[in-house]
Amino acid sequence: MFNRNRGLRQLATAASISMVAGCGVFSSDSSNDGKPIVVGTTSEPSTLDPAASWDNSWELFRNVHQTLLNFDTGGSEPKPDAAKSCEFTDSSSTVYSCELREGLKFSDGHELDAQAVKYSIDRIRTINVNGGPAGLLTSLDRIEVKGDRGLVFHLNQADATFPFVLSTPAMSIVDPEEYPAKSLRQDGKVNGSGPYALESYEEGDKAVLVRNDSYKGIADPQNDAVTIRYFQKSSVMADALRDKAIDVVYRGLSAADVVDIEDNEKEEGLQLVENATTEISYLVFNPKDPWSSKLSVRKAIAQIVDRPALAHNIYKDTVEPLYSMIPKGLVGHTTGFFDNFGNPSSSKARQILLEDGITERVPLTLWYTSDRYGSQTKPAFEELKRQLEASGLFSVTLQSRPWKTYVDGYQKGEYPVFGRGWFPDFPDADNFIAPFVGEQNALGTPYTSPEITGELLPESRRESDRGAVGEQFEEAQQILLDDARLLPLWQGKQHVAASEEIGGSEVSIDPATMMVMWELYWKTSW
């Protein structure tokens, strides 16, 4: 993560403290102690059960559940959280051992031991939700419990990324007494051991989090309570921030609101922190659709899409064009789609179609979610429609659904072409290739690629030095490029907007672009 102003702000803070001799000290000890910090987002959970989720439900889980490993402030490598220690105990990265902290409990008072960890991870594979997190566990063979606090993960292949997998909220530890072993929990409640307990949850409205006093782990909560409010429209959320109805906004601000807040933050008593992240947006082509299944159609679309126009005209340069599934900042990033297709060209696209005998306009339906990735999504798809139809080669129909029903639709293969966003499970190139290929993947759409799943990924996972796997990921991306079943569009920047009374927003986004609410605090001054 990078904050364009972080270095300057750190220097300014140090200077300010030295000049005023403590008159502006910031801490969580203030008259606002106990008052919830209210965070607004358009990213509502699709489920409250970690066994069903491979999406932004993780943001809630990160704060109310605990994982064996997590990230400390500013860190990019997983560190022990529920675990006291974890390490590979063999030379081939196939045996990973952990020891739990002593005295761990769930927020309901039930004991959290090694059996609970095994239970939590085993049920993910047992329930095996389509498009769910079981796809993260392809390298896991079995889990061995040793006493109350010992765990040994036996892998079926070398996998240096396994510690990152254990750090994802998909691996949240749940209470075996409250979560069924073979089915999802349906009562709308949560029992975790994270920094917060979920006091109440109202679907589509809010989640009320209060400090979990029994928590033992890596986080150091700077507040006593957080209320997360879920919005359908970014404009309403931005107005709520300006009106002081909420204190922080994360995920879902429109480009126009970002620009407006940046231009007027001092006058409005707000602050804006920009984080360069590895969030990406892309299109998925359904191989079962009669038109999307044609390589020529997919390549013609790749030849027409104008990413710079999308980034500039629709997103006001709050995103940047992306030409590979692995974003900038990670090993293996390329510019393959630009190298292959160059600048947008209708004449080149026409030739691609003619060579396949396609002479009529291609009818396509593009699907997007109406309430997931911010209010810019609809205009973005309208721009894609405009670009494709302006070529004279396509007739495009746009369709949308709210996220919960949208997910069900693409998992059932209902959409010819659909939009997705991807926020990394962990900061490694593996996580921008592996989730999208194989019989079971995050898209719910099988993508058979034996060379990637059988050769390139296993080879890369044998390498503990994650900076030395560029060749494998470049080859994997060339395969994705040749297939053109996934079309990268843009790489995003995450913006946190907050009242000037809130501190900690500059360190509140973890390497998987999730907000860790415990870093937020009320500033004090006199």
Side-chain angles (χ1 to χ4, degrees):
M1 291 187 303
F2 301 94
N3 169 13
R4 61 183 177 173
N5 294 321
R6 181 175 296 173
L8 293 174
R9 289 180 180 177
Q10 287 174 335
L11 290 173
T13 299
S16 173
I17 291 174
S18 64
M19 286 188 293
V20 302
C23 292
V25 175
F26 297 153
S27 77
S28 59
D29 298 324
S30 77
S31 59
N32 281 314
D33 269 2
K35 176 185 175 183
I37 294 174
V38 183
V39 177
T41 180
T42 60
S43 183
E44 181 189 356
S46 62
T47 176
L48 294 183
D49 193 325
S53 171
W54 202 347
D55 61 22
N56 283 353
S57 303
W58 286 11
E59 285 183 322
L60 179 61
F61 300 161
R62 174 64 84 205
N63 290 278
V64 298
H65 286 292
Q66 198 170 15
T67 46
L68 286 172
L69 303 169
N70 202 339
F71 298 94
D72 56 11
T73 302
S76 59
E77 294 290 328
K79 299 292 178 64
D81 186 10
K84 178 182 178 182
S85 62
C86 286
E87 62 181 344
F88 281 107
T89 50
D90 68 336
S91 58
S92 59
S93 298
T94 60
V95 181
Y96 194 70
S97 300
C98 293
E99 181 183 357
L100 293 179
R101 297 176 187 265
E102 293 185 30
L104 292 176
K105 292 183 179 181
F106 293 102
S107 58
D108 59 10
H110 295 164
E111 182 182 1
L112 192 166
D113 58 11
Q115 285 290 351
V117 178
K118 181 181 187 311
Y119 180 93
S120 300
I121 296 176
D122 282 346
R123 74 185 288 268
I124 294 171
R125 298 199 294 180
T126 299
I127 297 172
N128 197 22
V129 171
N130 183 30
L136 286 166
L137 295 169
T138 55
S139 65
L140 177 62
D141 180 23
R142 61 187 175 89
I143 305 171
E144 178 185 0
V145 170
K146 291 194 169 183
D148 290 337
R149 296 166 51 208
L151 292 146
V152 181
F153 297 89
H154 297 274
L155 309 184
N156 53 38
Q157 58 184 297
D159 186 359
T161 71
F162 192 70
F164 286 99
V165 171
L166 290 180
S167 75
T168 67
M171 305 300 133
S172 294
I173 305 167
V174 299
D175 187 344
E177 295 186 43
E178 303 292 345
Y179 289 78
K182 298 182 179 181
S183 62
L184 298 177
R185 185 173 182 176
Q186 302 292 345
D187 64 2
K189 296 181 180 179
V190 169
N191 297 93
S193 59
Y196 298 96
L198 184 64
E199 185 175 81
S200 66
Y201 177 78
E202 298 175 35
E203 184 174 341
D205 184 19
K206 64 183 177 181
V208 177
L209 281 57
V210 295
R211 185 195 289 258
N212 175 14
D213 291 330
S214 64
Y215 168 75
K216 294 182 178 180
I218 199 171
D220 180 17
Q222 301 296 302
N223 60 68
D224 292 326
V226 171
T227 296
I228 306 172
R229 284 189 53 193
Y230 301 112
F231 290 83
Q232 299 297 312
K233 294 183 178 180
S234 3
S235 58
V236 176
M237 180 171 65
D239 287 343
L241 179 66
R242 295 185 181 97
D243 293 341
K244 310 299 183 184
I246 59 177
D247 306 302
V248 182
V249 164
Y250 174 60
R251 210 183 291 290
L253 276 176
S254 71
D257 283 321
V258 169
V259 172
D260 182 69
I261 291 172
E262 186 173 36
D263 290 344
N264 302 288
E265 54 184 326
K266 288 188 178 180
E267 294 84 350
E268 295 182 338
L270 301 175
Q271 54 182 310
L272 183 73
V273 175
E274 178 184 287
N275 296 275
T277 72
T278 50
E279 170 195 354
I280 68 171
S281 178
Y282 58 100
L283 294 179
V284 183
F285 295 93
N286 186 347
K288 296 181 180 179
D289 179 76
W291 287 107
S292 296
S293 63
K294 295 180 182 295
L295 179 60
S296 60
V297 169
R298 303 195 298 269
K299 286 190 171 182
I301 293 172
Q303 184 63 71
I304 291 170
V305 169
D306 188 339
R307 295 171 179 83
L310 195 65
H312 181 70
N313 297 335
I314 305 302
Y315 289 95
K316 312 301 181 186
D317 299 316
T318 59
V319 305
E320 54 186 313
L322 181 65
Y323 297 95
S324 72
M325 289 301 289
I326 296 177
K328 288 200 302 186
L330 293 180
V331 170
H333 170 70
T334 70
T335 55
F337 275 88
F338 184 81
D339 299 339
N340 269 39
F341 296 99
N343 291 318
S345 170
S346 297
S347 60
K348 290 181 180 179
R350 184 181 302 276
Q351 188 60 36
I352 292 171
L353 293 175
L354 288 175
E355 289 175 0
D356 196 26
I358 299 173
T359 57
E360 72 273 26
R361 277 182 177 253
V362 176
L364 277 183
T365 301
L366 271 60
W367 282 82
Y368 63 93
T369 177
S370 59
D371 62 352
R372 191 61 169 180
Y373 304 119
S375 60
Q376 234 61 41
T377 304
K378 181 180 179 182
F381 272 77
E382 290 172 342
E383 170 66 9
L384 290 173
K385 171 183 168 72
R386 185 197 66 77
Q387 292 178 10
L388 291 171
E389 292 191 332
S391 71
L393 303 175
F394 293 90
S395 296
V396 178
T397 301
L398 297 181
Q399 296 281 358
S400 66
R401 286 177 177 169
W403 177 252
K404 289 187 178 182
T405 52
Y406 184 74
V407 172
D408 187 58
Y410 72 65
Q411 290 179 348
K412 291 179 178 177
E414 295 177 2
Y415 311 147
V417 187
F418 59 96
R420 278 295 310 266
W422 186 252
F423 309 99
D425 304 331
F426 48 84
D428 190 281
D430 184 284
N431 195 236
F432 289 87
I433 300 293
F436 309 128
V437 295
E439 286 297 318
Q440 186 176 36
N441 59 49
L443 302 173
T445 304
Y447 185 172
T448 302
S449 181
E451 187 175 352
I452 294 178
T453 56
E455 299 176 28
L456 295 173
L457 286 177
E459 183 180 336
S460 72
R461 289 169 176 173
R462 287 194 289 271
E463 178 57 68
S464 58
D465 179 2
R466 303 308 295 162
V469 293
E471 182 179 345
Q472 292 93 331
F473 287 117
E474 288 172 12
E475 289 183 31
Q477 289 196 96
Q478 186 61 48
I479 293 171
L480 297 181
L481 174 61
D482 292 341
D483 289 344
R485 277 185 51 183
L486 303 172
L487 184 66
L489 296 175
W490 52 257
Q491 178 173 349
K493 303 169 186 176
Q494 285 297 333
H495 296 88
V496 177
S499 161
E500 60 186 358
E501 297 177 335
I502 298 295
S505 59
E506 71 280 2
V507 292
S508 64
I509 309 303
D510 76 3
T513 72
M514 287 175 282
M515 176 170 273
V516 288
M517 307 293 176
W518 58 79
E519 294 288 359
L520 302 173
Y521 61 87
W522 294 103
K523 293 178 181 178
T524 61
S525 62
W526 52 274

